[in-house]
Amino acid sequence: MRWYPKGYGGHRRDPDQVKREGWREQGLLAVSLEDARLTWPERELVRQLGEKLYGPRPSDEGGRHG
């Protein structure tokens, strides 16, 4: 049997579980623009919110191509 200091070892939560618990417990939302579960309008809304709160992403600066 191994002994681990508190906070080490044990099982790891998967990233979606961490995001789910963050939303339910603290009202935090972590969303990827590449999440396939989102429709285009939903991804666009997330992108616009991110730009409003934190500014443009480095890859978005300099205008759009497309």
Side-chain angles (χ1 to χ4, degrees), residues 7-65:
Y8 295 91
H11 81 289
R12 294 183 75 134
R13 298 177 295 169
D14 67 273
D16 279 334
Q17 183 181 4
V18 173
K19 294 175 190 177
R20 189 177 310 111
E21 291 174 3
W23 171 248
R24 292 178 179 167
E25 296 172 9
Q26 299 179 13
L28 298 173
L29 183 61
V31 182
S32 170
L33 289 175
E34 308 302 321
D35 193 323
R37 298 173 291 184
L38 300 176
T39 62
W40 179 85
E42 292 167 338
R43 285 192 299 273
E44 184 65 14
L45 175 62
V46 169
R47 185 192 61 77
Q48 290 176 10
L49 285 170
E51 287 184 357
K52 179 178 181 177
L53 296 173
Y54 306 113
R57 297 172 65 204
S59 60
D60 291 344
E61 291 177 1
R64 288 192 163 174
H65 301 283

